[in-house]
Amino acid sequence: MFRAKIYLWLLAENLKIFEEIKSIRDFLKVCSAKKKSVGFVPTMGALHEGHLALIKKAKKENDLVVCSIFVNPTQFNNKEDLAKYPRDLKKDIEFLESVNCDILFVPNEKEMYPEDEKEKLLKLDFGNLDKIMEGKFRPGHFIGVATIVNKLFRIVEPDKAYFGEKDYQQLIIIKKMVEKLKQPIQIIPCSIKREKDGLAMSSRNARLTKEERKAAPFIYMLLKEAEKFYPVLSPSKIKNLVEKRFSENKNFILEYFEIVDSSTLISLNKWEKMQNPIACIAAHLGKVRLIDNIKMQ
Ligand code: AMP
């Protein structure tokens, strides 16, 4: 194990890798004294072009970019999903080197959740934001996300942090957390990176079988179809249409399809001026749960 790690660390030519909170903090303190701006990209690893787009954007806008890789147990409400979450640190390091990421923080579970803190989750009221859509089907998920992102923010103390619109509800919740905790961090949204056939890139796509992978673009196809009907059909008519199309497709089990306001995430019953509607979806394809969304414009 120790040898394997040394080998991985040797792979990194320019990337500085830290596993301990104290060592990354000491390093970043020196950078901060030199007035270097820090961009931060938190991830769970199994990196793909979607993650790299965030890092590339962060590179353009900051002196230093920190990426973290930590598969956070407190945000998984399904043990199998956590156990099967793809992990490939060697490939991740190669990816990070290829985009000139400066720092990788890759702590273990004990470092992020010491014994005495194990049960301590962030106590913050997100109102309705964490109760609907993902929150409804993955109870406790967002408190787990907010807990780990808050811990990471306190360690890295970035000027800017980058989040993908792929996890749109998460982005809104992190914005709310920063606002409530008055953290001086700018949250930068990044648009969704897709495969050529429209499937939103995701670490979980690696778990799809060949047949499932072929079927997967159906989700984006339906989102595009839903967008085409905006604003001719009402939100509920579009919802019925999408639900019907899913019920006719044996490959998928639809969890939810919601059209919500993109700032408040409140479900829309009719179109009104000044709204920026977004359609969000979650569906199971075999054993893999996929999410996606589209802004309706
Ligand atoms: P994860 O490793 O899944 O926790 O994702 C880390 C960050 O990358 C989150 O802010 C995600 O929203 C973002 N991300 C993941 N997939 C994509 C994608 N296809 N396009 C843009 N951002 C993404």
Side-chain angles (χ1 to χ4, degrees):
M1 177 67 188
F2 185 60
R3 264 204 200 149
K5 248 192 190 158
I6 290 188
Y7 164 68
L8 281 180
W9 278 200
L10 284 176
L11 264 183
E13 284 179 26
N14 300 310
L15 182 72
K16 289 193 176 53
I17 305 177
F18 297 96
E19 292 174 276
E20 287 164 7
I21 294 173
K22 185 177 177 326
S23 49
I24 189 172
R25 279 190 66 90
D26 287 348
F27 183 83
L28 288 172
K29 248 185 232 159
V30 176
C31 301
S32 150
K34 290 185 188 160
K35 303 262 177 283
K36 300 231 186 244
S37 63
V38 175
F40 179 42
V41 181
T43 80
M44 297 206 296
L47 302 180
H48 50 67
E49 286 296 328
H51 297 111
L52 297 196
L54 273 61
I55 293 168
K56 285 180 194 164
K57 193 169 164 71
K59 278 295 286 184
K60 280 195 194 134
E61 299 178 358
N62 302 275
D63 297 323
L64 274 180
V65 174
V66 180
C67 172
S68 65
I69 295 181
F70 181 66
V71 182
N72 174 35
T74 65
Q75 71 187 68
F76 284 82
N77 51 338
N78 178 327
K79 275 192 185 150
E80 191 188 342
D81 193 24
L82 172 61
K84 297 225 166 123
Y85 199 83
R87 292 163 169 90
D88 191 343
L89 192 53
K90 178 173 177 286
K91 203 165 141 212
D92 288 348
I93 291 174
E94 286 166 359
F95 263 138
L96 291 172
E97 284 269 341
S98 76
V99 288
N100 297 319
C101 182
D102 302 286
I103 299 168
L104 167 63
F105 180 46
V106 52
N108 64 23
E109 199 179 320
K110 264 201 186 143
E111 192 71 4
M112 295 312 290
Y113 293 102
E115 271 319 306
D116 52 332
E117 271 189 37
K118 211 153 194 179
E119 306 301 323
K120 276 192 207 154
L121 290 173
L122 185 70
K123 287 199 174 59
L124 207 56
D125 184 6
F126 289 108
N128 198 41
L129 292 181
D130 66 340
K131 315 278 182 307
I132 49 165
M133 299 195 291
E134 289 300 287
K136 186 169 163 196
F137 289 92
R138 303 182 71 188
H141 166 68
F142 285 122
I143 287 299
V145 171
T147 300
I148 195 66
V149 173
N150 181 44
K151 277 175 188 260
L152 290 167
F153 279 0
R154 283 161 178 271
I155 295 165
V156 178
E157 295 185 344
D159 299 282
K160 293 180 179 161
Y162 297 78
F163 288 84
E165 290 183 337
K166 155 92 181 356
D167 301 277
Y168 192 81
Q169 195 173 0
Q170 168 176 285
L171 167 71
I172 298 295
I173 283 175
I174 297 299
K175 274 189 180 169
K176 180 60 83 187
M177 179 186 86
V178 165
E179 185 190 310
K180 284 206 158 194
L181 299 179
K182 299 192 171 46
Q183 290 168 319
I185 301 168
Q186 210 180 323
I187 303 300
I188 313 285
C190 304
S191 52
I192 303 178
K193 278 267 165 196
R194 299 183 178 280
E195 302 289 354
K196 282 202 184 91
D197 58 11
L199 175 66
M201 289 183 179
S202 163
S203 306
R204 288 186 174 86
N205 293 351
R207 292 184 49 213
L208 296 170
T209 64
K210 245 187 187 168
E211 286 69 38
E212 288 164 354
R213 175 61 191 80
K214 257 193 209 156
F218 181 73
I219 295 182
Y220 184 56
M221 203 184 88
L222 278 199
L223 285 177
K224 293 286 283 179
E225 209 171 296
E227 193 209 6
K228 247 193 276 161
F229 287 117
Y230 169 76
V232 180
L233 297 185
S234 68
S236 60
K237 284 231 166 84
I238 295 179
K239 200 174 159 175
N240 288 343
L241 209 127
V242 169
E243 285 173 353
K244 183 165 178 293
R245 298 273 272 124
F246 264 97
S247 68
E248 289 161 0
N249 187 325
K250 295 265 175 331
N251 292 313
F252 291 89
I253 298 173
L254 178 66
E255 210 162 59
Y256 65 79
F257 172 83
E258 295 287 345
I259 298 173
V260 298
D261 177 82
S262 59
S263 316
T264 60
L265 303 187
I266 290 172
S267 204
L268 301 179
N269 299 316
K270 55 180 186 203
W271 308 122
E272 273 170 28
K273 272 186 199 160
M274 307 301 288
Q275 280 171 344
N276 292 305
I278 182 167
C280 301
I281 199 165
H284 291 265
L285 176 53
K287 288 191 167 163
V288 184
R289 184 176 183 275
L290 298 172
I291 62 169
D292 202 347
N293 64 73
I294 195 166
K295 287 179 190 164
M296 304 186 97
Q297 45 206 5

